[in-house]
Amino acid sequence: MTLAEFIATAMVALRRNVLRSVLTTLGIIIGVGSVIVMSAIGSGASKQIDAQIASLGTNQLTIFPGSMNVGGRQGGAGSAPPLTEKDLRAIRENVTGIDAAAGNMNSGATVVVGNVNWVTQINGSSAEVQTVRDWPLKSGRFYDALEASSGRKLAVLGSTVARELFGEADPLGTMVRINNVPFQVIGVLSEKGQAGGRDQDDVVILPLSTARSRLMGRVRVPDEIGQILVKVDDRYELSEVQADIERVLRQRRRIAPNATDNFMVRNFAEFLATRNATTRTLGLLLASTAAISLIVGGIGIMNIMLVSVTERTREIGLRMAIGASGSDILGQFLTEAVLLCMAGGFLGLVLGAGIAIVISTLFAWPVYISPGVVLMAIMASASVGVIFGFVPARRASQLNPIEALRYE
Amino acid sequence: MTAAGIASPVPVVAARNLCKTYQLGEQSVHALREVSFDIQRGEFVAIMGPSGSGKSTLMNMIGALDVPSSGQLLIDGTDIGTLDRDQLAALRNHTIGFVFQQFNLLARTSALDNVKLPLTYSRPRRADATDIARSCLEKVGLGARMDHVPSQLSGGQQQRVAIARALVNSPSIILADEPTGALDSATSLEILQLFESLNAQGMTVIMVTHELDVASHARRLLRVKDGRLVEDRAVTGALTEHQS
Ligand SMILES: Nc1ncnc2c1ncn2[C@@H]1O[C@H](COP(=O)(O)OP(=O)(O)O)[C@@H](O)[C@H]1O
Ligand SMILES: [Mg+2]
């Protein structure tokens, strides 16, 4: 028999008992459906996290003033001496493998234009921050190092702030009041999206010195810096550069060799990557649950195929009498099992995709159904058909034609 | 018998001291004992005998569904005892056309597809399978019923489909086991006349029956009893209980 004939024969057999066929494949439907839903949710989440990691930059380090450990007593936050412009300069001058380093101070502020106001985060940053954060402009320009150090009141808006304050209008050249201090808008940043649950575009970037003197209130030292952002040159090992930064800062801040650091160097992309790995582990766990339901589904298929072989003993005997070989019979029942499983797999695919879409719309959760998973689901259900259809098919092919023909 | 230069034709079925013994625990059941006969091409043979005499056992071997315990059974000169499962299947496919008491058609499958079925197991495959199946259905008088499924056909019509299926591979032998057992007498007569006309066209027909008036349509009668061949004679005219 040809494959087409095997399939046609199997279709006749399966149509003979449609309800039973569907019930039989329920295990496969549920198995494949849950694989699809879980992977859609899982890979949607990890795709989102991957995008966040890319937007944060995998080669970026952030340095914070850390709490100081005095005599075994952990000091409160901010008890460590602040980072300063001198620390920044020391890093720029003494650490190798740095593309750019920028100082940064954050604060909340209200931005007002006319009668529209918007509460947002302001970043007082050195001019280098654009390079460090690898953040292109949508329009206008960024301030340069000279403008940053000369106390000019210039502002670069994140795209969310620009949209909230100006709508479709062009903000360039407009004066905005930030905590009542007038600033001139010179640029609008391109969109970066969400990261770590925060809208990265809900921000205004200002020259660091201006922000420090006008908006940050009381500072502990005149050249205080909240954090130092460092972009590591691609050709250098991140961990080596990090160690070098720690060495330079310990030296500059005169930390004794056996004392702990009073600053922290963090890599956010790594942090998110760890979270991503957790998501993947969870996905793996759920996928194995799905695999178990596929196996249970396969056993159901085997059971019903054994019943089918018994029911059709006479038919098998007749086919053998008129010349079907053992492999013809084997092929016929294997085709039937595989077709049954693939039909179940396809229904599960449709069901799973449907549920994933519902979840994505109801809970605003990103879902993604990869072609690889679709292919895998179909191949997995076909394999279940081959594996669990083999025993019944083999039993059919080994029947004695005389006894099979006589079977009532 | 040994006229020089004339090769004796190979019999289509040749039984040589054919024995079949079934082992039931300690007990041996001798279903066939030392049976020998030849059936030539173009014969119409009826096999008769009481229940349990070994008719079905003999039929199974002529149909290459089973192999002898000892002795030989040759079909078209081939000793079936030397063939494996797949070779037996191929032999059945090419050489034997089975007709069963219960028709054994595939349900929910059109007459045409039922008739085509043996061709789907043939190697090499025939490209003109549908045409052959059609002409076989026409031969048995069902040219107008090709798309009907078995449940839409009468018993006689179903048996005609089965006969068309038996013919489709141009077999050497039509092997019929009680072919009229499930039919009323008028329909039985039609089926027997169909066999007669096929035989008149040169087809070898071997038929098992327990009814004398069915056997009367054949031209040779083999009687078996307790696994032995007890009678082998030509049939001329109607058989009666007295004659036998
Ligand atoms: N598979 C088998 N196993 C054991 N004994 C069998 C088997 N098939 C047939 N027999 C025995 O062989 C004898 C001949 O049987 P069978 O050929 O079916 O007779 P008939 O068809 O003439 O009624 C009977 O005694 C029967 O019980
Ligand atoms: Mg019998």
Side-chain angles (χ1 to χ4, degrees), chain B residues 215-234:
Chain B
S216 318
H217 291 264
R219 298 207 271 168
R220 179 180 170 191
L221 174 66
L222 296 179
R223 261 186 206 277
V224 284
K225 198 175 176 188
D226 294 332
R228 287 181 212 282
L229 187 63
V230 293
E231 188 180 357
D232 179 357
R233 67 174 178 92

Side-chain angles (χ1 to χ4, degrees), chain A residues 46 172 180 184 244 258 262 297 372 394:
Chain A
S46 47
L172 294 185
N180 275 328
Q184 188 188 14
D244 212 15
N258 55 353
N262 56 13
R394 196 175 147 77

Side-chain angles (χ1 to χ4, degrees), chain B residues 27-188:
Chain B
Q27 204 187 350
S28 296
V29 180
H30 298 280
L32 287 177
R33 315 174 197 232
E34 302 282 328
V35 173
S36 296
F37 60 84
D38 281 1
I39 294 173
Q40 301 298 333
R41 205 164 288 280
E43 285 199 80
F44 187 170
V45 180
I47 298 175
M48 292 192 76
S51 178
S53 57
K55 304 183 296 289
S56 295
T57 306
L58 184 57
M59 286 291 283
N60 288 341
M61 260 176 285
I62 298 173
L65 288 163
D66 205 353
V67 291
S69 305
S70 70
Q72 288 179 314
L73 190 104
L74 298 100
I75 294 171
D76 277 344
T78 306
D79 182 356
I80 62 163
T82 64
L83 303 180
D84 65 23
R85 252 177 98 93
D86 282 353
Q87 287 170 320
L88 286 172
L91 181 78
R92 292 195 291 272
N93 185 249
H94 293 128
T95 315
I96 318 285
F98 285 94
V99 178
F100 303 93
Q101 182 175 353
Q102 295 302 334
F103 324 137
N104 279 342
L105 298 178
L106 295 185
R108 291 171 187 80
T109 304
S110 71
L112 188 66
D113 285 342
N114 263 294
V115 173
K116 255 164 71 174
L117 195 60
L119 293 174
T120 65
Y121 293 119
S122 291
R123 251 158 286 199
R125 295 301 303 272
R126 302 199 54 152
D128 51 351
T130 307
D131 294 335
I132 300 171
R134 249 194 214 116
S135 78
C136 288
L137 274 167
E138 277 158 8
K139 208 183 263 181
V140 300
L142 284 179
R145 299 270 197 287
M146 302 210 194
D147 298 326
H148 288 48
V149 296
S151 59
Q152 298 168 327
L153 297 169
S154 71
Q157 288 170 333
Q158 289 187 54
Q159 195 59 303
R160 282 168 189 273
V161 174
I163 292 169
R165 181 180 64 192
L167 291 171
V168 78
N169 255 338
S170 316
S172 303
I173 311 160
I174 295 282
L175 204 52
D177 193 354
E178 302 260 11
T180 57
L183 302 174
D184 62 56
S185 53
T187 317
S188 296

Side-chain angles (χ1 to χ4, degrees), chain A residues 55-67:
Chain A
S55 78
L56 286 175
T58 46
N59 54 354
Q60 196 186 309
L61 294 170
T62 308
I63 305 152
F64 302 93
S67 56

Side-chain angles (χ1 to χ4, degrees), chain A residues 44-346:
Chain A
S46 47
K47 229 179 144 64
Q48 190 188 40
I49 291 171
D50 285 343
Q52 292 174 4
I53 289 170
S55 78
L56 286 175
T58 46
N59 54 354
Q60 196 186 309
L61 294 170
T62 308
I63 305 152
F64 302 93
S67 56
M68 198 162 42
N69 197 339
V70 187
R73 244 186 73 243
Q74 193 79 24
S79 60
L83 294 166
T84 63
E85 293 280 1
K86 293 184 238 10
D87 291 322
L88 177 57
R89 210 172 305 124
I91 288 170
R92 279 183 185 150
E93 284 165 8
N94 302 319
V95 177
T96 44
I98 285 183
D99 251 1
N104 191 63
M105 289 184 96
N106 299 337
S107 170
T110 306
V111 188
V112 182
V113 182
N115 54 3
V116 187
N117 60 49
W118 181 251
V119 178
T120 185
Q121 189 186 57
I122 54 169
N123 288 1
S125 305
S126 345
E128 292 83 353
V129 79
Q130 200 205 359
T131 316
V132 174
R133 298 203 59 189
D134 202 6
W135 203 341
L137 287 157
K138 190 157 38 179
S139 60
R141 64 183 187 88
F142 215 85
Y143 48 83
D144 59 29
L146 189 68
E147 288 169 323
S149 57
S150 59
R152 299 272 308 271
K153 285 175 268 181
L154 304 173
V156 178
L157 306 184
S159 62
T160 301
V161 176
R163 190 180 57 246
E164 292 297 339
L165 291 178
F166 294 93
E168 294 303 305
D170 181 10
L172 294 185
T174 314
M175 297 303 284
V176 295
R177 302 186 73 83
I178 302 176
N179 286 2
N180 275 328
V181 182
F183 281 79
Q184 188 188 14
V185 178
I186 59 166
V188 177
L189 292 159
S190 63
E191 261 170 61
K192 248 189 193 303
Q194 297 269 333
R198 213 184 68 78
D199 177 6
Q200 297 184 86
D201 300 313
D202 192 1
V203 72
V204 177
I205 300 183
L206 316 164
L208 175 58
S209 55
T210 318
R212 184 159 49 216
S213 57
R214 302 282 181 157
L215 300 170
M216 295 296 164
R218 197 165 58 86
V219 288
R220 285 177 287 171
V221 289
D223 60 347
E224 180 174 345
I225 290 179
Q227 313 92 36
I228 297 172
L229 309 179
V230 173
K231 185 184 181 191
V232 176
D233 189 322
D234 285 337
R235 290 164 299 182
Y236 291 81
E237 269 303 319
L238 198 73
S239 54
E240 282 170 21
V241 175
Q242 181 168 347
D244 212 15
I245 290 171
E246 282 162 2
R247 181 186 57 78
V248 168
L249 284 182
R250 283 175 74 89
Q251 210 171 19
R252 225 205 66 72
R253 291 159 78 92
R254 294 195 184 81
I255 300 170
N258 55 353
T260 48
D261 292 343
N262 56 13
F263 60 91
M264 301 180 287
V265 185
R266 286 283 178 271
N267 177 352
F268 279 114
E270 255 172 31
F271 170 70
L272 277 181
T274 313
R275 248 183 50 179
N276 199 10
T278 314
T279 317
R280 287 212 175 99
T281 311
L282 195 70
L284 212 64
L285 196 74
L286 298 176
S288 51
T289 313
I292 289 168
S293 51
L294 272 185
I295 290 172
V296 172
I299 291 169
I301 296 279
M302 179 152 86
N303 184 35
I304 215 71
M305 289 303 295
L306 284 171
V307 170
S308 172
V309 167
T310 307
E311 280 177 353
R312 287 153 66 193
T313 299
R314 260 177 94 95
E315 177 197 321
I316 295 163
L318 167 81
R319 287 178 184 272
M320 286 176 161
I322 63 174
S325 64
S327 55
D328 284 323
I329 301 295
L330 187 85
Q332 179 189 330
F333 281 91
L334 263 189
T335 307
E336 204 174 308
V338 169
L339 225 56
L340 199 57
C341 287
M342 284 179 72
F346 184 75

